[in-house]
Each structure stands twice: as structure tokens, then as C-alpha cells.
Amino acid sequence: RGNPEIDANKDLFFEEAVAQTALGDVDAAFKALKTYWAANPNRQQGMVENPGWEFQALTTDPRWQRVVP
């Protein structure tokens, strides 16, 4: 997952969330997204409104709507 010198914006957590979503591990995907959004709050609203193909599978989970700031 790197350290602040390698991944200051915690972008690797975004990549982890994509992978976990593809693997069907919704809980792990939300955990990774929570960490990513904590470091990048300006990305949260846009991702929730337009999840793209990467997170389409998460949009049916009630947690998806609860993450809107």
C-alpha cells in the first residue's frame, strides 16, 4: 500500500477498491474506498454520482448512498 512518500494521496487504495469490487469482495472495496475518500474528500461526491464501470456493482449496496458527504 505504500507510505506517504510513495502514495501521499492514497491512490493505491482506489486501485485496491477497483480490484476488490471486481473480485466481489464488497466489504473490502468499501473499506478501501473509505480510506481513499478520507485522503481525497473532493473525489467522493463525484464518484458517488458517477461511479463508472469500476464501481457499478457497489451502487446497489445501501452503503453507496450513505457515503455521500
Side-chain angles (χ1 to χ4, degrees):
R1 291 185 179 162
N3 61 42
E5 289 179 23
I6 295 170
D7 189 20
N9 294 328
K10 300 197 182 290
D11 292 328
L12 292 174
F13 283 94
F14 177 87
E15 300 301 332
E16 179 180 342
V18 172
Q20 295 294 357
T21 301
L23 292 169
D25 191 340
V26 175
D27 292 332
F30 274 108
K31 183 177 178 182
L33 281 174
K34 184 177 177 181
T35 301
Y36 175 74
W37 285 331
N40 301 280
N42 57 326
R43 298 287 319 271
Q44 186 174 3
Q45 183 73 35
M47 285 178 64
V48 170
E49 292 173 358
N50 184 15
W53 65 268
E54 299 96 330
F55 301 113
Q56 198 64 47
L58 300 182
T59 62
T60 58
D61 190 294
R63 291 174 284 188
W64 188 256
Q65 292 303 318
R66 288 196 304 255
V67 298
V68 180

